[in-house]
Amino acid sequence: MASGKPQTRPSVRHPSHNHPLRGHKAQVEDEIICSGCDLDLIGASFKCSKSECDYFLHKSCFELPREIHHKSHPSHPLTLLYSPPYDHSTYTCNGCGEYGSGFTYNCSICQYNVHVGCVSMHETMKHEEHAHPLTLIYSSPSLEGHIFTCDVCQETMPRNLWLYYCQKCDYGTHLHSCVADEEEEPKKVGRGEGGRGVNGVKGGRSSENSELADMLKAQREMEKMQIALHLEMQRAKIAKKSRKHMLKMI
């Protein structure tokens, strides 16, 4: 005779969390954020078996390898960490320059960190505003001392960050999606929409879009100031060397 007790789904363990996890299928309207990659969670996933615990993982984040070799950092392997390193609450991704608070691929020797989403970016992509495929590169294509500007949003791009680039046309864009004029032509997002766009680039959590955009704008303004300061210091060093040379000539 069949038991009247409800069947419990089998649970699994993951080293990132203390409690058992169970299989889950997340819906768009649930507005769940993955505790691993900090992105919207839709579809096959895992959730904490404790009702009071708000811990979720994409199936793909659950299955991430503990160690990888990546073209962006060929000197050393990258190890998967389940929380920000160095006892901090956040880290800065060396790929896109944005903050992270979940999983990261880390090189402890070089203090190099990359979002788990960034290490999975496609090596080529098609951008709607450019005729040729763009290739993922891991630093600015401009010469030392020169500044590279994103051809979509016209913002200065730090030399060390990844970008998608067309060498034939010298055309490049930020690693993640940006728009030509976000303030005048905001992206229309319907209720319940989220996750990643058609081309696999980051979408936004509608309730956080404005705050995130402001944070990224402030961060990039700071990067511009740092670049300007660096150039000013370089000019000052050149001027100082020139003065020393002139004094020796006297």
Side-chain angles (χ1 to χ4, degrees):
M1 186 173 179
S3 172
K5 294 182 179 180
Q7 292 184 345
T8 58
R9 286 173 290 175
S11 61
V12 293
R13 290 278 184 175
H14 193 267
S16 66
H17 194 61
N18 292 330
H19 305 145
L21 306 177
R22 290 200 176 100
H24 180 69
K25 187 172 183 179
Q27 305 297 325
V28 174
E29 57 270 20
D30 295 335
E31 297 185 350
I32 298 170
I33 303 301
C34 175
S35 302
C37 64
D38 292 328
L39 298 177
D40 299 290
L41 196 157
I42 302 169
S45 58
F46 291 91
K47 65 176 293 187
C48 182
S49 58
K50 304 291 184 182
S51 59
E52 69 277 7
C53 187
D54 192 27
Y55 191 88
F56 293 85
L57 284 180
H58 283 107
K59 185 175 183 290
S60 56
C61 289
F62 182 92
E63 296 172 347
L64 287 170
R66 288 302 307 271
E67 185 176 280
I68 62 170
H69 294 268
H70 198 266
K71 291 180 180 179
S72 68
H73 195 70
S75 303
H76 309 111
L78 302 179
T79 303
L80 180 63
L81 303 181
Y82 301 121
S83 60
Y86 327 122
D87 295 324
H88 294 165
S89 59
T90 61
Y91 65 90
T92 301
C93 175
N94 288 96
C96 66
E98 298 177 17
Y99 292 109
S101 59
F103 294 1
T104 177
Y105 275 109
N106 166 270
C107 173
S108 59
I109 298 171
C110 304
Q111 296 191 354
Y112 183 86
N113 293 281
V114 185
H115 289 129
V116 295
C118 288
V119 299
S120 304
M121 297 296 287
H122 297 294
E123 292 194 357
T124 60
M125 62 93 75
K126 188 72 176 69
H127 198 283
E128 60 184 6
E129 295 191 13
H130 192 68
H132 308 130
L134 305 181
T135 301
L136 179 62
I137 60 175
Y138 303 110
S139 62
S140 171
S142 61
L143 298 173
E144 187 70 36
H146 291 71
I147 295 173
F148 189 84
T149 303
C150 174
D151 287 290
V152 177
C153 68
Q154 304 304 316
E155 291 189 2
T156 300
M157 301 182 68
R159 287 191 57 80
N160 62 311
L161 296 186
W162 305 359
L163 66 151
Y164 279 108
Y165 183 65
C166 173
Q167 185 176 13
K168 182 178 181 179
C169 304
D170 191 30
Y171 178 97
T173 75
H174 283 98
L175 185 64
H176 299 304
S177 60
C178 53
V179 294
D181 195 338
E182 191 170 2
E183 292 183 0
E184 291 185 10
E185 298 180 3
K187 183 178 178 182
K188 295 180 180 179
V189 180
R191 183 173 180 175
E193 292 181 358
R196 292 182 177 266
V198 174
N199 292 326
V201 293
K202 284 174 70 174
R205 295 180 281 276
S206 57
S207 61
E208 298 177 0
N209 275 352
S210 178
E211 182 180 351
L212 179 59
D214 290 341
M215 183 185 75
L216 293 178
K217 184 177 180 180
Q219 181 180 340
R220 287 171 182 157
E221 287 296 324
M222 180 63 71
E223 290 167 351
K224 289 180 183 178
M225 292 172 63
Q226 289 173 342
I227 291 170
L229 179 61
H230 173 73
L231 293 175
E232 188 62 36
M233 290 174 67
Q234 290 296 104
R235 284 193 287 267
K237 286 180 181 179
I238 293 170
K240 186 176 181 180
K241 287 182 180 179
S242 178
R243 286 195 298 272
K244 284 185 177 180
H245 179 71
M246 293 297 294
L247 289 171
K248 288 180 180 179
M249 297 289 290
I250 297 175

